[in-house]
C-alpha cells in the first residue's frame, strides 16, 4: 500500500528538496506477515539472507509450496501479524508516543496487514510461480516482445453517438485563442474533520478516528500540512474555476482523486472520492457546459498501485464511467469500461486521448500484477497508436493525458511511450501528467537525433498540499493550431485561508513573463534549462521556477538547480543520469512519490510459507 507521512520534512525527490509526503513502506509489513506465518504454524522464521533475496529457482519452489495453503492461512496470519506490526511500530511508520497514542499503530496495522496479505494471495493464485518471482525480482524477467498489432478494443473517432455538442463549439465566439484548466493529484480526504488531531502518529491525520486535537494541533477548515486535501478547499477551487474570466473551454484532470490513507481504503471509499470530484464539477457552470476529461492515478485501485487488467478491475472502470458519464460519448464509455483508457473531443478538431498509465510501473512503487508478466495487459498501446492514426487521418490534434510522466513507465514500455509520442509529434500538441505533486515540465526529443524537441509534458502540481500550496493551471492555446501559448498558475495560500476563514485563489504568475521565455515550445524550455546549468543559484529565472515548484511553500534555496534543469532536459531516468553526470552534479536518483510491496520482504513471505508447508 502507499501511504504518506506529512511531517514537514525536507525530503529529497529527484534531486529536488521539497516539503512533501514521505513515502511510508507498509510493504515492510510483509516481513511481519512472514514472522506471523512462522509463529502461527510453529515453524522457524527464516532469517534475512544477505540482501534478502532468494535465487530464482528457490523462489519458484517456495511459491509452489505456499500457493495451496495461502487462503486457509490468511486470517490466522493477519491475526498474528497485527500485534507483531504494533510491536515494531509498523516498521517505525506509526508513533504511539504521539498524541494518537496506541491507537495510531493499532488502526494502521489492522488495515495494513489485511490489505497486503490479500495482494500476496492474489498474485499466487493468478500467476505461475515464475511470474510471481519475476515480480519479486528473484528472477530476471525474460525479454518481452513489443505490443501486439491488434488492440483488444478499438476507438472509432467517426462515431459521435452519445457525444454532446457543447455551447463553446465550434466558433468559440470568434476569439483567436482559448483556455483550459488542468489539475491533478487532488487526493481528496473525504473523512477530513475540523478539530481533529493533526499529531495522530499516522502517515496522514485529520481523521475523526484520531479524536480531537490539542491546542495548536487541530485540523483547520481549509486543511493542514499533516493531512490530504480538505473538501472545503476543493469546493473553493471549483468555485474559483467557475469564475474564471474568460471561462475555460474544457477541464483536464490527470488523476489521483482518493486520499493517501491506503490502509483504511475500500473500493466504495475510492469510488466515493472519484464521484465527489465529478459531481463537484458538474455542479459548477463550467462542468455543466464544458467537457471534463479525467484519468486514473495509482491511488484509484484498492490496494494502491494494483491494477489487474480487464475483467478484474471492472468495479473501478465501470464506477468511474458512471461518475464521468455526463461528459462521455458512447465510444469513450466503451473503451473506459474495458481497460481504463479512452478518447473524447474537447473542441472542434481537438481531442483528449487518455492513457491508463499507472499499470505500467513495476518494483516497490509499482503494480505487481504487471510485474508478474510485464505485458500490455489491456493491449493499450495498439489502441493508442490506432487512435492517433485515426486522428491524423481526420486532420485532428491531440492532447495526451497520463497520470505518470514517461520516466515512471517500466522498461521497455518507457521506450514504447517515447516512440509513439515521437512518431505522432505532428498530431500530439502536448502531454499532461501528474503524480509528482510539485510543478515542472519535461521535454521529449526526437528518437533519431535526440536534438529536436517533439513534445513537452506539463506536470501542473497537486491539489493536495503534499507538494506545496493547492494549485491548478489555466493554459492558453491557439484555436487554429492548438499550440500552447502560455499558462497561468493559480493557488491558495492554505495557512492564510485558515487565518482569514476564507480561501482566496490568486494567480501566482504567467509562465512566459515569469520565466522570461518567448514561447512555450520545447526549444524555449530547453534553452531556459541550459541557462541554469551555466548560471548560479541566484539566476533570476531559476529562483522563479524553484519558487513556483511548490507554489511559494518552499524557499528556492531548498530546490536543486542542476537537478531541475536535467529534469526538463531528460524524459527518462537514463537520460537524467547522463545529464547529471555531464553536469558534474552529485544528485540522488530520479524517483517519483509512491511505494508498494517490498520485493525483498515479499520473498520473505514465500520463504516463511514454504517452511510452514513443509512442516
Amino acid at each position: 500500500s502507499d501511504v504518506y507521512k506529512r511531517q514537514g520534512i525536507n525530503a529529497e525527490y529527484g534531486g529536488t528538496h521539497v516539503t512533501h509526503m514521505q513515502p511510508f513502506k507498509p510493504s515492510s509489513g510483509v516481513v511481519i506477515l512472514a514472522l506471523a506465518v512462522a509463529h502461527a504454524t510453529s515453524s522457524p522464521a527464516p532469517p534475512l539472507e544477505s540482501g534478502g533475496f532468494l535465487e530464482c529457482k528457490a523462489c519458484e519452489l517456495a511459491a509452489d509450496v505456499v500457493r495451496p495453503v495461502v487462503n486457509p492461512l490468511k486470517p490466522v496470519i493477519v491475526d498474528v501479524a497485527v500485534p507483531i506490526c504494533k510491536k515494531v511500530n509498523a516498521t517505525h511508520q506509526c508513533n504511539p508516543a504521539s498524541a494518537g497514542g496506541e491507537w495510531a499503530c493499532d488502526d494502521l496495522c489492522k488495515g495494513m496487514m489485511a490489505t497486503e496479505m490479500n495482494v500476496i494471495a492474489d498474485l499466487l493464485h493468478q500467476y505461475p510461480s515464475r511470474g510471481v518471482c519475476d515480480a519479486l525480482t528473484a528472477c530476471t524477467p525474460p525479454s518481452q516482445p513489443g505490443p501486439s498489432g491488434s488492440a483488444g478494443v478499438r476507438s472509432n473517432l467517426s462515431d459521435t453517438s452519445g457525444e454532446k455538442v457543447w455551447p463553446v463549439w465550434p466558433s468559440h465566439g470568434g476569439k483567436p485563442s482559448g483556455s483550459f484548466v488542468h489539475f491533478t493529484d487532488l487526493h481528496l480526504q473525504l473523512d477530513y474533520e475540523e478539530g481533529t488531531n493533526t499529531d495522530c502518529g499516522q502517515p496522514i491525520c485529520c481523521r475523526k478516528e484520531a479524536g480531537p486535537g490539542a491546542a495548536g494541533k487541530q485540523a483547520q477548515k481549509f486543511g493542514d500540512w499533516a493531512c490530504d486535501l480538505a473538501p472545503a478547499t476543493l469546493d473553493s477551487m471549483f468555485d474559483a474555476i467557475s469564475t474564471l474570466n474568460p471561462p475555460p473551454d474544457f477541464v483536464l484532470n490527470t488523476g489521483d482523486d482518493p486520499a493517501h490513507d491506503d490502509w483504511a481504503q475500500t473500493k466504495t471509499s475510492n469510488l466515493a472520492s472519484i464521484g465527489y470530484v465529478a459531481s463537484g464539477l458538474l455542479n459548477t457552470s463550467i462542468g455543466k457546459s464544458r467537457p471534463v476529461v479525467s484519468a486514473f492515478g495509482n491511488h484509484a485501485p484498492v490496494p494502491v498501485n494494483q491494477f489487474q487488467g480487464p475483467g478484474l478491475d471492472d468495479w473501478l472502470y465501470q464506477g468511474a464511467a458512471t461518475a464521468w458519464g455526463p461528459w462521455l460519448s458512447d465510444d469513450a464509455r466503451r473503451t473506459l469500461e474495458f481497460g481504463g483508457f479512452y478518447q473524447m473531443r474537447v473542441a472542434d478538431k481537438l481531442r483528449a486521448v487518455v492513457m491508463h498509465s499507472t499499470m505500467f510501473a513495476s518494483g516497490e512503487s509499482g503494480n505487481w500484477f504487471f510485474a508478474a508478466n510485464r505485458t500490455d495487459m489491456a493491449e493499450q498501446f495498439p489502441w493508442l497508436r490506432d487512435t492517433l492514426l485515426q486522428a491524423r487521418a481526420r486532420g485532428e490534434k491531440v492532447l495526451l493525458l497520463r497520470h505518470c510522466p514517461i520516466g515512471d513507465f517500466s522498461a521497455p514500455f518507457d521506450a514504447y511511450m517515447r516512440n509513439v509520442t515521437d512518431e505522432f509529434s505532428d498530431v500530439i500538441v502536448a502531454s499532461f501528467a501528474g503524480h509528482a505533486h510539485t510543478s515542472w515540465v519535461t521535454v521529449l526529443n526526437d528518437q533519431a537525433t535526440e536534438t529536436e524537441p517533439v513534445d513537452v509534458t506539463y506536470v501542473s502540481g497537486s491539489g493536495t498540499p503534499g507538494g506545496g500550496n493547492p494549485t491548478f493551471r489555466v493554459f492558453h492555446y491557439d484555436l487554429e493550431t492548438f499550440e500552447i501559448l502560455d499558462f497561468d498558475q493559480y493557488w491558495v495560500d492554505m495557512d492564510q485561508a485558515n487565518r482569514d476563514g476564507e480561501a482566496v485563489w490568486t494567480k501566482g504568475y504567467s509562465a512566459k513573463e515569469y520565466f522570461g521565455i518567448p514561447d512555450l515550445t520545447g526549444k524555449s524550455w530547453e534553452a531556459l534549462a541550459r541557462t541554469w546549468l551555466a548560471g548560479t543559484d541566484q539566476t533570476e529565472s531559476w529562483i522563479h521556477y524553484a519558487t513556483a515548484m511548490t507554489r511559494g511553500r518552499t524557499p528556492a534555496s531548498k530546490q536543486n538547480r542542476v537537478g531541475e534543469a536535467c529534469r526538463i532536459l531528460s524524459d527518462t531516468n537514463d537520460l537524467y543520469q547522463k545529464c547529471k553526470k555531464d553536469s558534474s552534479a552529485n544528485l540522488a536518483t530520479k524517483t517519483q512519490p509512491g511505494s508498494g510491496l517490498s520485493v525483498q520482504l515479499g520473498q520473505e513471505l514465500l520463504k516463511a510459507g514454504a517452511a510452514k508447508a513443509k512442516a
Side-chain angles (χ1 to χ4, degrees), residues 286-305:
I286 299 300
K288 291 175 181 176
S289 60
R290 304 289 196 276
V292 175
V293 189
S294 298
F296 291 121
N298 60 301
H299 283 267
V302 176
V304 65
N305 299 325

Side-chain angles (χ1 to χ4, degrees), residues 128-196:
S129 296
R130 176 56 191 263
V132 174
C133 294
D134 286 346
L136 298 179
T137 69
C139 302
T140 301
S143 298
Q144 296 289 350
S148 68
S150 176
V153 64
R154 184 177 184 269
S155 287
N156 181 0
L157 274 59
S158 299
D159 181 5
T160 59
S161 59
E163 181 183 74
K164 293 178 176 62
V165 178
W166 301 98
V168 292
W169 295 354
S171 66
H172 291 276
K175 59 185 179 180
S177 64
S179 64
F180 61 89
V181 168
H182 176 215
F183 61 78
T184 190
D185 292 84
L186 295 176
H187 294 290
L188 172 65
Q189 189 172 340
L190 283 177
D191 61 356
Y192 185 96
E193 189 168 303
E194 286 183 66
T196 53

Side-chain angles (χ1 to χ4, degrees), residues 304-326:
V304 65
N305 299 325
Q306 305 308 314
F307 293 101
Q308 301 184 52
L312 296 171
D313 295 326
D314 289 352
W315 68 272
L316 176 61
Y317 302 158
Q318 293 173 8
T322 298
W324 302 339

Side-chain angles (χ1 to χ4, degrees), residues 341-593:
F341 45 83
Y342 64 101
Q343 61 78 33
M344 61 180 280
R345 246 190 343 151
V346 293
D348 191 36
K349 294 291 185 179
L350 180 65
R351 292 184 185 270
V353 174
V354 183
M355 292 197 68
H356 186 1
S357 61
T358 56
M359 63 166 51
F360 294 106
S362 60
E364 293 196 20
S365 299
N367 178 7
W368 276 27
F369 295 94
F370 161 74
N373 66 8
R374 294 180 183 269
T375 62
D376 186 351
M377 289 187 280
E379 297 177 313
Q380 184 175 171
F381 274 90
W383 166 84
L384 174 64
R385 193 172 186 280
D386 177 72
T387 299
L388 293 172
L389 281 170
Q390 291 184 61
R392 176 185 282 163
R394 295 168 59 87
E396 296 178 343
K397 297 294 185 180
V398 161
L399 304 177
L400 187 59
L401 275 63
R402 303 184 302 268
H403 179 66
C404 292
I406 292 177
D408 279 337
F409 283 65
S410 293
F413 290 91
D414 54 349
Y416 301 156
M417 192 70 250
R418 296 180 78 216
N419 292 341
V420 169
T421 306
D422 183 17
E423 179 184 358
F424 291 95
S425 59
D426 60 317
V427 177
I428 299 170
V429 174
S431 299
F432 300 85
H435 193 48
H437 294 195
T438 50
S439 306
W440 43 274
V441 302
T442 292
V443 177
L444 171 69
N445 284 320
D446 72 294
Q447 303 302 285
T449 69
E450 294 192 348
T451 59
E452 289 296 318
V454 294
D455 183 66
V456 177
T457 295
Y458 292 94
V459 180
S460 291
S462 63
T464 191
N469 278 304
T471 191
F472 67 85
R473 270 185 188 167
V474 177
F475 284 86
H476 302 275
Y477 69 107
D478 187 293
L479 285 170
E480 293 294 328
T481 65
F482 304 111
E483 174 189 2
I484 302 298
L485 302 174
D486 204 353
F487 68 74
D488 305 321
Q489 192 90 35
Y490 286 77
W491 68 75
V492 61
D493 185 322
M494 193 172 71
D495 292 335
Q496 188 69 42
N498 284 325
R499 287 192 295 268
D500 296 346
E502 180 184 12
V504 177
W505 292 76
T506 58
K507 186 174 82 170
Y509 65 88
S510 295
K512 285 169 57 177
E513 178 184 8
Y514 195 56
F515 301 135
I517 52 179
D519 52 47
L520 266 63
T521 61
K523 286 188 176 182
S524 291
W525 285 115
E526 286 191 333
L528 178 67
R530 291 192 177 98
T531 67
W532 302 343
L533 293 178
T536 71
D537 287 350
Q538 300 307 310
T539 301
E540 184 178 22
S541 64
W542 160 246
I543 293 175
H544 285 178
Y545 189 89
T547 303
M549 286 181 64
T550 62
R551 289 80 70 185
R553 168 65 177 169
T554 306
S557 60
K558 295 294 184 181
Q559 313 295 358
N560 188 303
R561 172 174 51 86
V562 176
E564 291 311 317
C566 288
R567 191 196 302 278
I568 290 177
L569 296 168
S570 315
D571 61 276
T572 67
N573 286 327
D574 288 345
L575 290 175
Y576 184 80
Q577 297 297 334
K578 183 177 186 298
C579 177
K580 291 191 306 180
K581 181 179 179 181
D582 292 347
S583 303
S584 300
N586 183 21
L587 302 174
T589 301
K590 182 182 180 185
T591 59
Q592 301 290 347

